[in-house]
Amino acid sequence: NMIATLAVNHVTSTGNSSHQGRVIIGQIHAASDEPVRVYYRLLDGHTKGSIYIAHEPSNGNSEQWYNMIGSRSNSASEPEDGIELDEKFSFEIDVVGNTLNVSIMRDGKDTITQTVNMENSGYDGYYVKDGETLEDYMYFKAGAYNQNNSGDTSDYVQVTFYALSKTH
């Protein structure tokens, strides 16, 4: 379980249009994949951003995408209930057994939760590397992971964390 309270302060505006305004703010990372990545995305011309998650199975199955607030689409309308830059909000990543829950919490608004059944995702505690079966390791990450590699050194992402807690 990890709970973070944060505000996204700045997102990119250059580079590939599918990566503009997009930043990973939290995730669970495994040896060679990510059971979950939490994205914030603010499209050009919008004042409110979207939140969506990706679930990457470790067994080679296709990545699964879930919209939580707004849409991850490059041409999405501005989400009516979106999150503005510098707006404080919280997210929680909670995994019990094969059930992954991601929740978005904001003052004065209902909590939004996405549940992912990971039963067939291949997370059995092991992974294979160079023909050898090894014990898998997973860890939580929170931060500002820029998804736009435009090469423009003046373009950046910025996130401020106000609280962060994790339990195993």
Side-chain angles (χ1 to χ4, degrees):
N1 179 277
M2 179 172 71
I3 301 173
T5 301
L6 66 146
V8 177
N9 310 110
H10 192 272
V11 294
T12 62
S13 60
T14 63
N16 183 318
S17 64
S18 67
H19 295 165
Q20 289 175 3
R22 189 172 82 159
V23 58
I24 295 173
I25 54 177
Q27 64 185 308
I28 296 175
H29 209 290
S32 61
D33 39 51
E34 294 130 349
V36 68
R37 293 186 308 274
V38 181
Y39 289 84
Y40 173 87
R41 181 148 194 221
L42 179 66
L43 292 174
D44 188 39
H46 290 191
T47 59
K48 296 177 183 175
S50 300
I51 300 280
Y52 56 91
I53 65 171
H55 169 61
E56 181 183 27
S58 72
N59 59 9
N61 287 344
S62 297
E63 197 163 50
Q64 301 160 15
W65 296 91
Y66 301 89
N67 294 321
M68 296 186 67
I69 297 173
S71 169
R72 77 181 189 101
S73 169
N74 294 338
S75 59
S77 299
E78 183 163 21
E80 187 175 308
D81 63 342
I83 298 174
E84 295 183 19
L85 291 178
D86 299 318
E87 180 180 339
K88 194 185 277 190
F89 67 98
S90 298
F91 70 81
E92 178 178 21
I93 299 172
D94 188 58
V95 178
V96 177
N98 288 319
T99 303
L100 164 69
N101 288 301
V102 178
S103 299
I104 306 297
M105 294 86 66
R106 297 179 283 173
D107 287 343
K109 298 194 178 191
D110 291 340
T111 297
I112 298 167
T113 301
Q114 177 64 56
T115 300
V116 178
N117 180 346
M118 298 192 306
E119 185 175 341
N120 296 313
S121 296
Y123 293 107
D124 60 3
Y126 300 93
Y127 71 101
V128 177
K129 181 178 180 182
D130 300 327
E132 184 180 357
T133 300
L134 303 170
E135 190 170 348
D136 202 354
Y137 54 90
M138 294 191 195
Y139 55 94
F140 289 102
K141 292 173 72 176
Y145 302 101
N146 189 355
Q147 298 302 289
N148 188 352
N149 299 319
S150 70
D152 183 343
T153 57
S154 67
D155 206 6
Y156 64 97
V157 296
Q158 180 179 327
V159 177
T160 301
F161 281 85
Y162 299 94
L164 182 64
S165 65
K166 66 145 185 74
T167 56
H168 285 276

